[in-house]
Amino acid sequence: MELLSSLPLFVARCCQALHVAGFQAYPVGGCVRDLLLSRTPQDWDVCTSALPSQVQALFPHTVPTGLAYGTVTVVLEGGTVEVTTFRQEDRYGDGRRPDAVSFVSSLEADLSRRDFTINAMAMAPDGQLLDPFGGRGDLQRRSVRCVGKPELRFREDRLRMFRAIRFAAQLDFQLEGQLLQALMELGAQPHTLPPERIRPEVEKTLCAPAPHWAGLLFSSGLLSAFLPNRLEVETAILSTLLPTPLARWAGLAALLRQEGADPLPLLQGLIPDRALIVPLTKALALEVPTDARGWRHLLSRHGVTTCQALAAMSPGSQPLQALENVLAQAPCISPKQLALSGQDLMALGLSGIEIGRVQKTLLEHVLDHPEDNTPEKLVRQITSRRK
Ligand code: ATP
Ligand code: MG
């Protein structure tokens, strides 16, 4: 079967080694979904009847990634595989092998604990698709549907609501009716999900090909811990921004502001990464320059990243285009980029703090007149100012 031929050799070998040792092993979850969609899987998951210690004993190179959850990373030539013992209560703790019937039920029990039908498929050794919940049909319908009753599954784990939206955004799928209904009903309920679990899902939603799904995060109240109310945010514009965290968070911040909501608690609550949150918060306090000269001054004062965030926050494509045009000219925005170096200035007879002062003046001049950043013109500047 073609599903089998699309499985990388190292994953097939990993499963085979487990089979030879007498265990069940199935590629499962996201990787099976992505193979069926002809997408490149992010990671390779295998579920198995082997216990973590048995997996560790079988492969020379393993990493105990999540022993508490039964996950061992197997490192092979060609890639790594996350091998997880069947998730089910009646596991054989002593390593005894259950009979064939309970193998099948173990796999089904494992699949039934997964979030969505499209994520609850496994691949048999002969390449046959094991799909007890109709995941393939939902892939064809382009629909995210819960395994079991959405309300129950969402009450068990609220993160699944974020994940549903994330998959709709990444795959450009719809949310199945009952799932959507449960999400709208349960979204705004108070919860204790830690931000570090929410953040990746929100960021993946924002950076996805169909980022307008982020609107549902606000209309459902899922992010109401950071915002006063449920909010209708018109998010269609996000897809016009670069699919980077910086640009998409910036775009979202601007949309929230348009709706009269303060984006800061959300940004600060969800983004721990200083390289991201600092430029975003700085940009929120800045005005968009009206011309190239203004952009150069802003670049010099605040750096490229903050300016990129500011441009992404500004309505229309003009600011982004303007900033791009300025950056394409590789303008001089710091003393280091002046056509005269500190040493050149020393050779011209300057010394000590004078050098820094002259550099500052030259930089101000070059920011206004970028065409003047040549050694001759800068020397002329210095001599004319000395007179
Ligand atoms: P990605 O392409 O982002 O890796 P994925 O579907 O592989 O997507 P993971 O977060 O890597 O998602 O999880 C692997 C699998 O584990 C999922 O496909 C799903 O079957 C299951 N899973 C993950 N999180 C949950 C959850 N909160 N509830 C139930 N099952 C989950
Ligand atoms: Mg995955």
Side-chain angles (χ1 to χ4, degrees):
M1 218 183 126
E2 59 189 64
L3 197 54
L4 196 59
S5 61
S6 53
L7 196 68
L9 200 59
F10 70 92
V11 185
R13 285 207 175 122
C14 173
C15 293
Q16 206 185 6
L18 284 156
H19 296 155
V20 169
F23 301 110
Q24 298 287 101
Y26 306 92
V28 69
C31 65
V32 176
R33 175 199 70 220
D34 288 342
L35 288 182
L36 288 169
L37 290 171
S38 303
R39 289 162 59 98
T40 311
Q42 297 278 317
D43 36 39
W44 298 94
D45 288 304
V46 162
C47 62
T48 180
S49 56
L51 295 170
S53 56
Q54 293 169 320
V55 177
Q56 286 172 311
L58 198 59
F59 296 95
H61 192 172
T62 60
V63 183
T65 334
L67 281 188
Y69 311 99
T71 303
V72 173
T73 301
V74 174
V75 184
L76 296 155
E77 214 183 298
T80 61
V81 184
E82 306 284 316
V83 179
T84 305
T85 309
F86 287 141
R87 271 176 250 175
Q88 63 160 56
E89 276 76 352
D90 58 346
R91 194 182 295 150
Y92 284 60
D94 58 1
R96 256 187 322 127
R97 285 190 224 142
D99 57 46
V101 176
S102 97
F103 275 150
V104 173
S105 70
S106 301
L107 177 69
E108 281 218 17
D110 181 289
L111 293 177
S112 72
R113 282 180 177 74
R114 293 175 184 267
D115 46 8
F116 308 114
T117 61
I118 56 171
N119 289 346
M121 294 180 276
M123 197 196 295
D126 61 359
Q128 204 198 322
L129 188 69
L130 302 167
D131 178 20
F133 304 104
R136 177 178 260 191
D138 285 328
L139 281 183
Q140 277 155 0
R141 277 186 287 279
R142 305 175 70 79
S143 171
V144 182
R145 184 163 62 92
C146 284
V147 173
K149 276 206 170 353
E151 208 193 310
L152 252 152
R153 303 310 309 280
F154 289 165
R155 283 189 197 279
E156 268 171 23
D157 180 358
R158 279 184 59 91
L159 193 71
R160 290 174 186 151
M161 292 190 263
F162 290 90
R163 286 174 59 86
I165 296 173
R166 187 257 278 196
F167 286 115
Q170 283 183 326
L171 304 172
D172 199 6
F173 276 25
Q174 294 304 313
L175 295 178
E176 180 269 338
Q178 288 184 21
L179 184 158
L180 187 59
Q181 201 184 336
L183 199 151
M184 293 307 282
E185 275 168 27
L186 300 175
Q189 290 193 344
H191 64 90
T192 52
L193 263 184
E196 63 270 20
R197 296 198 65 207
I198 299 175
R199 186 230 176 159
E201 302 300 335
V202 175
E203 196 166 282
K204 283 177 186 175
T205 304
L206 288 174
C207 295
H212 63 271
W213 279 105
L216 191 54
L217 293 169
F218 300 97
S219 56
S220 64
L222 271 171
L223 291 174
S224 55
F226 305 100
L227 295 153
N229 290 312
R230 292 183 193 238
L231 211 59
E232 295 301 326
V233 188
E234 186 43 70
T235 44
I237 193 112
L238 288 175
S239 63
T240 63
L241 298 171
L242 274 181
T244 61
L246 181 79
R248 296 281 170 100
W249 279 113
L252 179 68
L255 293 174
L256 289 171
R257 228 172 14 179
Q258 260 172 39
E259 296 302 325
D262 179 5
L264 261 183
L266 178 76
L267 299 180
Q268 289 173 335
L270 284 187
I271 307 176
D273 182 359
R274 281 187 58 78
L276 201 52
I277 188 68
V278 171
L280 282 170
T281 40
K282 267 207 229 165
L284 277 171
L286 294 172
E287 296 267 346
V288 183
T290 49
D291 56 12
R293 177 184 160 276
W295 275 116
R296 288 192 298 271
H297 279 274
L298 215 62
L299 281 165
S300 174
R301 206 161 311 145
H302 299 287
V304 177
T305 319
T306 298
C307 287
Q308 283 169 332
L310 176 62
M313 276 174 196
S314 314
S317 57
Q318 202 277 331
L320 277 168
Q321 195 56 55
L323 174 61
E324 215 169 281
N325 291 344
V326 169
L327 287 173
Q329 287 158 2
C332 165
I333 53 171
S334 93
K336 279 181 250 150
Q337 292 166 298
L338 286 167
L340 289 180
S341 69
Q343 275 188 327
D344 293 336
L345 295 177
M346 264 161 45
L348 288 169
L350 297 173
S351 62
I353 53 166
E354 219 182 346
I355 294 184
R357 214 177 287 144
V358 168
Q359 279 178 324
K360 210 170 149 204
T361 322
L362 290 179
L363 180 61
E364 284 299 313
H365 175 79
V366 166
L367 287 170
D368 288 342
H369 307 280
E371 69 284 359
D372 282 2
N373 191 23
T374 67
E376 302 76 36
K377 287 184 178 167
L378 292 186
V379 169
R380 224 173 294 152
Q381 276 298 314
I382 298 171
T383 43
S384 73
R385 275 166 204 261
R386 271 184 175 166
K387 279 175 202 159

